[in-house]
Amino acid sequence: MSRLAIALALSLVAFVAHEVPAQTYSCFSSTSETTLGLRDDVIALVTGTDVRVIAKRDTLKLLAASASQVSVITQTNKCKSAGESYHSVLQPGSPQISRSMVVIKIANNRYVITDPAERQGEFGTVMITDSNFNVLAMMSL
């Protein structure tokens, strides 16, 4: 066997054996300015009684709730599910990338999710999902 063939075979083995690091999804801390800002916006949407607020809430498929039913999520498994859902909608079919998410839970049936680093111009995408992270609505913020 020639030296070139051996070198190619060894390179192929090294390439196949090389593990690609898994992408990670983490959540912003519950006290970050970004998290608190989104949480406050969500509270205003779900507790608002003005006709325009109710119309926007309905458009986004959010349900009325009390402020105490809005919570910040930091659990790894929920952040991972939220990140996977977010990525699959924004970049379908593309390789996953690591993300730091802001995830807000409303009662037991809705999540509001964003990746503050994911921008299109000056706007970011916010997704509303059900409890299984199926996307119900999206908006730019």
Side-chain angles (χ1 to χ4, degrees), residues 27 35 38-39 42-43 46 62-63 65-75 78 82 102-114 127-133:
C27 281
T35 301
L38 183 59
R39 185 204 62 194
V42 169
I43 288 172
V46 300
L62 293 171
L63 305 174
S66 67
S68 66
Q69 291 177 295
V70 177
S71 57
V72 174
I73 298 299
T74 58
Q75 294 94 344
K78 296 290 184 189
V102 176
V103 182
I104 308 294
K105 184 177 181 181
I106 306 165
N108 290 322
N109 53 17
R110 296 288 188 271
Y111 289 95
V112 178
I113 305 165
T114 192
M127 293 182 184
I128 291 83
T129 71
D130 63 15
S131 59
N132 294 315
F133 295 100

Side-chain angles (χ1 to χ4, degrees), residues 9-20:
L10 290 174
S11 295
L12 181 59
V13 168
F15 178 75
V16 171
H18 175 71
E19 289 186 32
V20 177

Side-chain angles (χ1 to χ4, degrees), residues 117-136:
E118 180 81 31
R119 310 291 292 169
Q120 273 118 46
E122 63 184 278
F123 298 102
T125 301
V126 177
M127 293 182 184
I128 291 83
T129 71
D130 63 15
S131 59
N132 294 315
F133 295 100
N134 298 305
V135 176
L136 303 173

Side-chain angles (χ1 to χ4, degrees), residues 85-92 94 99 115 118 120 125 127 138:
S85 177
Y86 191 90
H87 182 82
S88 71
V89 170
L90 284 186
Q91 298 176 349
S94 67
R99 295 180 181 276
D115 175 356
E118 180 81 31
Q120 273 118 46
T125 301
M127 293 182 184
M138 294 175 31

